[in-house]
C-alpha cells in the first residue's frame, strides 16, 4: 500500500533553490538533471516558477503512453498496477492481470479488480502541457507520460476518482479523502519540481493555503530536467 509515496523529482534551475539543498557546499554548482536533492516542501514550492498557462496546441496524443519500455510484455499501466497491488494479481498472457487487491488513496477505498482502476498522472498531461511541456520534445513528453522512475508520478486509483479529477489542478480538485490531501499536494510540488513545471497564480494560491496546514516535510527529488 503506497499511502506515503517516496518522492523523487525534477530540476532546481535557480541558484536560489540550489542554496536550499542540504548539505551543499557554498562553492557547489546548481543542481542539474540527474542529481538527487532534498529540500523542505514549502521551500521547493516557493522556488517553482509562477506564470500564466496556455492550453494552445494540446493533444493528449502528444504524450505517447502506455509504452513497454523494458519489453517484458507489460506496459506502464500494468507495471504500476503490479507495483501498487496490496495483494498481487495473477499475470496471464499479454500481461492480463486477474485477481489482486488495490487501495485507492484518493477515496480511501479498496478494489479487487484491475478494471476498476485507472493509473493517474498525478500532474495531468494537459496540466503538464500548460505549464511547460509544450516546449518539450516528443521523446521528453513520452518519458513524462510513462515515468516509472519516480514512484509518485503515476498512481493507481479508482476510475471514478480519476475521472472526477480529469485535468484539474489543486485549485479546483483535491482528493475526496481528506486524509490524503497533504500527501497529494506535497507530491504535486515534488512532481512539478522534478520537471521544473510552472504554477499559475490560482494554483499557487491554492497550494499555499493547503500546504500551510500540512507538515513541512523534506522531499527527495531526482531531477529530470
Amino acid at each position: 500500500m503506497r499511502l506515503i509515496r517516496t518522492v523523487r523529482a525534477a530540476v532546481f534551475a535557480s541558484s536560489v533553490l540550489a542554496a536550499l539543498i542540504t548539505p551543499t557546499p557554498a562553492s557547489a554548482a546548481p543542481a542539474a538533471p540527474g542529481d538527487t536533492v532534498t529540500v523542505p516542501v514549502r521551500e521547493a514550492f516557493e522556488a517553482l516558477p509562477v506564470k500564466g498557462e496556455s492550453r494552445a496546441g494540446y493533444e493528449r496524443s502528444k504524450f505517447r503512453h502506455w509504452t513497454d519500455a523494458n519489453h517484458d510484455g507489460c506496459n506502464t499501466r500494468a507495471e504500476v498496477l503490479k507495483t501498487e497491488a496490496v495483494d498481487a494479481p495473477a499475470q496471464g498472457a499479454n500481461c492480463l492481470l486477474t485477481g489482486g487487491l488495490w487501495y485507492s488513496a484518493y477515496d480511501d477505498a479498496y478494489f479487487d479488480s484491475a478494471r476498476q482502476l485507472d493509473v493517474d498522472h498525478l500532474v495531468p498531461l494537459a496540466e503538464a502541457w500548460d505549464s511547460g511541456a509544450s516546449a518539450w520534445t516528443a521523446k521528453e513528453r513520452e518519458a513524462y507520460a510513462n515515468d516509472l522512475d519516480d514512484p509518485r508520478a503515476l498512481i493507481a486509483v479508482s476510475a471514478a476518482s480519476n475521472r472526477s479529477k480529469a485535468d484539474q489542478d489543486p485549485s479546483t480538485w483535491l482528493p475526496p479523502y481528506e486524509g490524503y490531501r497533504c500527501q497529494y499536494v506535497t507530491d504535486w510540488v515534488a512532481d512539478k519540481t522534478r520537471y521544473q513545471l510552472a504554477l499559475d497564480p490560482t494554483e499557487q494560491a491554492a497550494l499555499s493555503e493547503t500546504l500551510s496546514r500540512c507538515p513541512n516535510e523534506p522531499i527527495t527529488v531526482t531531477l529530470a530536467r
Side-chain angles (χ1 to χ4, degrees):
M1 185 186 308
R2 295 168 71 181
L3 299 179
I4 305 296
R5 304 172 64 84
T6 303
V7 180
R8 301 159 62 192
V11 174
F12 294 91
S14 71
S15 59
V16 174
L17 186 52
L20 296 172
I21 301 167
T22 54
T24 301
S27 60
D35 289 349
T36 298
V37 298
T38 299
V39 63
V41 63
R42 289 178 198 158
E43 280 86 338
F45 161 69
E46 290 166 2
L48 286 169
V50 179
K51 60 183 180 181
E53 296 180 351
S54 173
R55 186 69 50 97
Y58 171 72
E59 295 176 7
R60 190 172 176 82
S61 60
K62 292 183 176 179
F63 293 80
R64 182 171 174 257
H65 66 291
W66 304 110
T67 61
D68 179 10
N70 63 0
H71 307 291
D72 67 350
C74 293
N75 66 17
T76 303
R77 169 186 158 82
E79 298 286 8
V80 173
L81 290 171
K82 291 196 299 177
T83 298
E84 297 199 352
V86 177
D87 294 331
Q91 181 179 323
N94 301 315
C95 203
L96 177 65
L97 304 180
T98 56
L101 184 69
W102 289 267
Y103 176 77
S104 172
Y106 285 1
D107 38 15
D108 190 29
Y110 287 89
F111 297 88
D112 60 7
S113 171
R115 294 180 180 180
Q116 298 171 300
L117 301 164
D118 283 350
V119 171
D120 181 40
H121 294 92
L122 189 94
V123 175
L125 301 180
E127 169 67 23
W129 175 274
D130 296 351
S131 51
S134 60
W136 299 353
T137 67
K139 279 295 184 183
E140 287 172 329
R141 288 193 289 268
E142 180 180 332
Y144 177 86
N146 298 276
D147 187 355
L148 293 173
D149 293 327
D150 177 351
R152 181 208 37 78
L154 299 168
I155 178 171
V157 294
S158 69
S161 65
N162 183 51
R163 293 167 198 184
S164 170
K165 173 185 173 180
D167 60 6
Q168 298 178 82
D169 70 31
S171 68
T172 54
W173 191 91
L174 288 170
Y177 177 44
E178 292 186 10
Y180 191 69
R181 289 180 179 177
C182 281
Q183 190 65 52
Y184 181 80
V185 296
T186 296
D187 289 353
W188 183 280
V189 170
D191 205 20
K192 284 220 160 180
T193 301
R194 173 166 166 78
Y195 287 93
Q196 200 55 48
L197 294 170
L199 308 173
D200 68 48
T202 303
E203 175 190 3
Q204 180 194 37
L207 286 168
S208 178
E209 195 279 330
T210 304
L211 285 169
S212 71
R213 295 181 275 106
C214 298
N216 189 25
E217 65 181 48
I219 55 173
T220 297
V221 175
T222 297
L223 311 179
R225 296 184 59 80

